[in-house]
Amino acid sequence: MAESLIATGRAPWFDVEHGVLDRRIYTDPDIYAEELEKIFARAWNFVCHETQIPDPGDFFMNYIGEDEVIVVRDRSGAIQVLLNSCPHRGNTVCRAEQGHTNSFLCSYHGWNFDLTGGLIGMPGEDTFYRNDVDKSEWGLGRAAQVASYKGFVFATLDPEAPPLEDYLGWVGRLGIDTLATHGDLVAVDGVVKNRIKCNWKLAVDNLYDWYHVKISHGSALRAGLLTDEAMAPMDQMVILGEYGHGIGGPGMSEEQQAEFDARMASGKGEPQWYDLQAQRRLDPAVRETLGPIGTRCLGHPNIFPNLWIALTRQVCLRIPRGPFETELWWFTFMPKDISEEERRHTMFMANHVFGPAGLLEQDDGENWSHSTRGARGTVTRRQPLNFSMGRGHDRVEDDASGQHRIETVVNEHGQRWTYQAWQEWMLADNWQELIANHSMPPKGVV
Amino acid sequence: MAVFEDLSLQERMLLSFEAQEFLYREAALLDEKKLDEWLALLTEDIHYWMPLRRTTTAKEVDREFTRPGDMALFDDDLQTLNLRVRRLGMGRAWAEDPPSRTRRMVTNIRILRCEGDEILTTCNFQLYRTRLNSEEDSWIGRREDLLRRVDGELRLARRHIFLEQTVILAQNMSNLF
Ligand code: FES
Ligand SMILES: [Fe+2]
């Protein structure tokens, strides 16, 4: 088996047909270096929400892979994404995680940059440099493209990347819409950040994982934080999109949606596990945006590579910190114009479910760090991993709604799709190749 | 309102001793995982809160901590603290199975204010935790604890925890501070 797979760099790490993964993709330092180049430096990456930096001069620091970026609102009101590295010696020009500033003054020799990254001052420009530096050529590096979708700001470092909306496709857009349709969103102050000694892909793959809930989070279910039924319902829906985007998790069946609608109309009937999420989709305009299938879809979207949109009005970025470490960043959103009771509920969930002290997420980290560790043993790492659940047993429904999806039980379609896409990104040398060769979402039996 | 500084030396010593004994005993209960006994030391209206902290410029250091009502690492009342403790006893609380080992140091205890039945204290703490064979976490911070005398006994009515850390350098916070 497989010794040569990584060495050739062209053979499959992920056997798509059988759902078998070479686990060295979690620990191999060369693969990690290539991911930074071929995935993070190429993709559209979520950098912040517009409401985090409402006024000119407001900034928020983030990472694209291991590239540190400053996301800043300039004087014209546009959002700039600048590389946080002074072109003189490379020093960072911004050390705060967020804040407000008029310019970025480098602490080393005092080069000063305006809010669009332009170099506007150099001590000794005339006396020492004798005016022979063209300042217009020595500004901060900038993201190749910046765009936002419904307030969520993304940036790509690759000028060849397709426009954001094309990149997202209908599945990525639907993923963000599941949150954006909660209302006019404002970011709550405070991004919860912690570090886990795991490979970033294990954290990503877990967001589709409705298999682990009853075991990993058994104590939270037993203690009554959340009900079994709501946390791991038998009815699941998976929607797969181009470039690795996807949505996976609970889905209401057509019967359940009909039951819910009838119950809301008549005021009679028993509450069900889907009520909370379904209630947020009562508005016809919301249903119009989500579409008939999207309205029934209550799963977890992932915007490839690493943005999970959670059901708690939060999103979580999984930022790589080397092959063995990942930083989790939780952003929380509050719709304007909601009742005090709903606001309290949102904050309760945001402060008690996820994050390092979250009653659910406490128990995730060690599973991911030990899964990563499991790929470090010389012989152990040669043993492949099984991602076969549901393989060949389900069918993609593709009807007049135009929203193709798989309606089934707990499964690993989303995980397989993630690794398949990951592999295609890694095998493509540039955007042209990726656009030409990436898989379209499957049809028929999956 | 009794200003602590206005009390006699003896009164201050007695009060300090009592507060200190309470805080030591309470820390020991957490180290020994006697969590039900620990819960019994809390008042009905306890607010247990650890705000987020972020690196800001010196000019904006007043924005370093999140404010009450915004995001926090802990923002608990008696009910959620109960839920945390109950959850640990349910089985399948994997972050604590096998159990991690903790040791709490509580130092620099000072009384900031006393008023009626309440004593507002501040202290520095270190929470040292090891897990399995090689994992080690250490949290240092400052706390403001409001102690209240209920039926003659001190209880914890408020705990605000300010950590010397921004990004939490641990895979979880499965313990109490
Ligand atoms: S490194 Fe920035 S001014 Fe020299
Ligand atoms: Fe989980």
Side-chain angles (χ1 to χ4, degrees):
Chain A
M1 195 178 74
E3 210 58 58
S4 65
L5 291 188
I6 289 164
T8 67
R10 286 279 159 187
W13 296 284
F14 184 53
D15 175 345
V16 175
E17 191 171 339
H18 300 100
V20 172
L21 182 72
D22 186 326
R23 67 169 93 185
R24 284 171 294 188
I25 70 165
Y26 296 135
T27 49
D28 186 290
D30 296 336
I31 289 183
Y32 176 74
E34 216 170 317
E35 285 176 332
L36 295 179
E37 189 73 51
K38 291 184 162 171
I39 295 178
F40 291 96
R42 193 183 276 168
W44 280 95
N45 296 267
F46 172 72
V47 289
C48 77
H49 192 265
E50 285 175 9
T51 59
Q52 287 179 271
I53 47 170
D55 299 317
D58 290 349
F59 68 88
F60 178 74
M61 221 166 48
N62 204 333
Y63 292 85
I64 293 180
E66 295 207 21
D67 286 294
E68 212 170 296
V69 294
I70 311 165
V71 191
V72 57
R73 177 107 37 190
D74 71 21
R75 292 196 198 289
S76 77
I79 292 177
Q80 303 281 340
V81 177
L82 310 171
L83 296 183
N84 188 12
S85 180
C86 174
H88 181 231
R89 285 295 178 280
N91 183 32
T92 52
V93 299
C94 176
R95 306 256 170 89
E97 290 172 72
Q98 58 184 69
H100 181 89
T101 191
N102 292 321
S103 66
F104 296 101
L105 178 69
C106 180
S107 60
Y108 200 169
H109 311 91
W111 287 22
N112 197 17
F113 303 88
D114 69 16
L115 301 180
T116 66
L119 177 59
I120 49 171
M122 314 157 74
E125 184 180 0
D126 47 357
T127 47
F128 305 150
Y129 283 103
R130 330 297 158 94
N131 291 313
D132 67 357
V133 174
D134 180 355
K135 292 210 293 295
S136 69
E137 286 183 0
W138 291 96
L140 297 175
R142 290 193 183 103
Q145 306 179 58
V146 180
S148 67
Y149 179 76
K150 302 202 176 169
F152 293 82
V153 184
F154 290 78
T156 174
L157 302 179
D158 192 333
E160 306 291 315
L164 175 63
E165 297 221 359
D166 294 354
Y167 175 79
L168 293 171
W170 76 268
V171 177
R173 292 195 301 269
L174 173 61
I176 295 173
D177 287 343
T178 61
L179 174 53
T181 51
H182 283 222
D184 198 357
L185 300 179
V186 180
V188 179
D189 189 35
V191 176
V192 181
K193 303 176 179 179
N194 82 303
R195 273 193 197 177
I196 297 181
K197 291 194 184 74
C198 72
N199 183 270
W200 67 277
K201 295 185 290 301
L202 278 156
V204 171
D205 131 10
N206 175 266
L207 73 94
Y208 293 118
D209 188 329
W210 292 78
Y211 187 36
H212 82 297
V213 177
K214 284 190 180 174
I215 304 296
S216 288
H217 305 300
S219 62
L221 299 184
R222 287 174 183 179
L225 174 69
L226 298 152
T227 65
D228 262 37
E229 244 190 326
M231 279 312 292
M234 282 301 283
D235 296 281
Q236 298 271 318
M237 185 191 286
V238 181
I239 302 179
L240 305 176
E242 284 179 76
Y243 302 119
H245 311 308
I247 309 176
M252 297 163 74
S253 65
E254 281 178 38
E255 295 72 49
Q256 286 168 329
Q257 183 72 58
E259 184 279 331
F260 177 80
D261 289 342
R263 181 151 47 88
M264 290 301 116
S266 68
K268 294 194 200 87
E270 291 295 301
Q272 299 292 332
W273 62 266
Y274 38 76
D275 283 12
L276 178 66
Q277 300 297 335
Q279 261 151 12
R280 293 176 177 152
R281 297 172 179 187
L282 277 167
D283 181 349
V286 169
R287 292 192 179 189
E288 173 77 28
T289 304
L290 299 179
I293 307 308
T295 296
R296 295 196 284 110
C297 172
L298 312 179
H300 286 163
N302 186 47
I303 307 303
F304 193 89
N306 61 344
L307 182 71
W308 168 24
I309 295 154
L311 296 166
T312 47
R313 292 182 166 151
Q314 291 177 289
V315 303
C316 183
L317 256 188
R318 284 71 188 283
I319 303 172
R321 284 276 172 279
F324 311 116
E325 200 158 33
T326 303
E327 229 164 82
L328 266 49
W329 288 21
W330 282 99
F331 300 72
T332 306
F333 302 95
M334 192 68 76
K336 283 181 196 157
D337 310 321
I338 54 171
S339 66
E340 178 58 19
E341 189 192 336
E342 199 181 343
R343 200 194 62 78
R344 277 171 182 280
H345 178 74
T346 301
M347 288 312 296
F348 175 83
M349 296 301 277
N351 278 331
H352 292 96
V353 177
F354 297 117
L359 287 158
L360 222 58
E361 203 171 61
Q362 279 180 37
D363 293 314
D364 281 315
E366 196 161 88
N367 290 334
W368 307 342
S369 64
H370 282 227
S371 295
T372 303
R373 235 162 80 164
R376 296 183 82 161
T378 307
V379 175
T380 309
R381 70 178 168 224
R382 289 184 208 140
Q383 310 225 300
L385 299 177
N386 183 314
F387 283 80
S388 72
M389 190 189 290
R391 172 94 205 141
H393 295 281
D394 292 317
R395 167 174 290 280
V396 177
E397 306 289 337
D398 198 0
D399 53 25
S401 72
Q403 296 185 304
H404 55 74
R405 74 285 179 185
I406 305 158
E407 297 196 53
T408 180
V409 293
V410 169
N411 62 81
E412 290 177 345
H413 294 297
Q415 292 95 320
R416 281 194 293 277
W417 184 244
T418 301
Y419 289 107
Q420 180 177 344
W422 174 87
Q423 180 153 278
E424 290 171 355
W425 280 74
M426 293 289 277
L427 294 179
D429 281 332
N430 50 51
W431 259 108
Q432 262 182 334
E433 262 188 56
L434 185 61
I435 290 170
N437 298 334
H438 73 284
S439 295
M440 297 310 270
K443 297 195 165 178
V445 173
V446 283
Chain B
M1 171 161 70
V3 178
F4 185 63
E5 280 71 21
D6 291 348
L7 299 177
S8 71
L9 178 62
Q10 270 170 340
E11 283 170 321
R12 279 186 285 154
M13 283 172 73
L14 283 174
L15 215 52
S16 293
F17 179 75
E18 204 185 356
Q20 183 182 308
E21 286 291 290
F22 176 84
L23 293 174
Y24 289 167
R25 182 157 72 93
E26 176 259 315
L29 290 176
L30 290 175
D31 282 338
E32 290 160 21
K33 300 196 197 305
K34 294 182 175 162
L35 299 179
D36 287 321
E37 286 179 52
W38 181 79
L39 284 174
L41 297 181
L42 312 180
T43 63
E44 296 283 326
D45 63 343
I46 173 100
H47 184 218
Y48 183 98
W49 181 62
M50 184 193 285
L52 296 181
R53 192 171 197 173
R54 31 296 152 94
T55 304
T56 67
T57 58
K59 192 174 65 176
E60 296 184 296
V61 79
D62 60 322
R63 304 276 298 133
E64 189 180 20
F65 289 102
T66 51
R67 292 166 193 180
D70 286 331
M71 289 307 295
L73 287 155
F74 289 87
D75 192 357
D76 282 20
D77 56 17
L78 189 59
Q79 202 186 343
T80 47
L81 287 167
N82 254 303
L83 183 62
R84 286 184 192 276
V85 169
R86 228 176 37 248
R87 194 188 69 83
L88 289 171
M90 290 280 164
R92 295 193 177 170
W94 301 109
E96 288 299 327
D97 189 2
S100 57
R101 292 158 291 265
T102 58
R103 198 56 56 193
R104 289 161 177 80
M105 322 307 162
V106 180
T107 74
N108 304 53
I109 301 168
R110 285 183 298 136
I111 294 181
L112 296 176
R113 177 160 69 69
C114 52
E115 189 179 349
D117 291 331
E118 295 185 339
I119 310 171
L120 182 65
T121 67
T122 179
C123 67
N124 297 347
F125 69 88
Q126 178 175 22
L127 169 49
Y128 177 75
R129 176 175 81 168
T130 66
R131 175 142 184 79
L132 309 182
N133 297 331
S134 57
E135 281 163 45
E136 201 176 20
D137 295 303
S138 171
W139 287 288
I140 290 178
R142 183 179 80 83
R143 284 195 330 234
E144 263 183 42
D145 294 327
L146 181 69
L147 313 183
R148 189 185 301 148
R149 206 176 296 282
V150 180
D151 302 329
E153 300 281 332
L154 287 183
R155 295 273 183 276
L156 183 63
R158 189 168 80 210
R159 169 158 291 171
H160 290 180
I161 309 152
F162 305 94
L163 222 52
E164 312 301 334
Q165 214 168 63
T166 55
V167 176
I168 300 302
L169 304 174
Q171 66 185 2
N172 65 47
M173 289 174 141
S174 56
N175 44 267
L176 291 159
F177 286 78

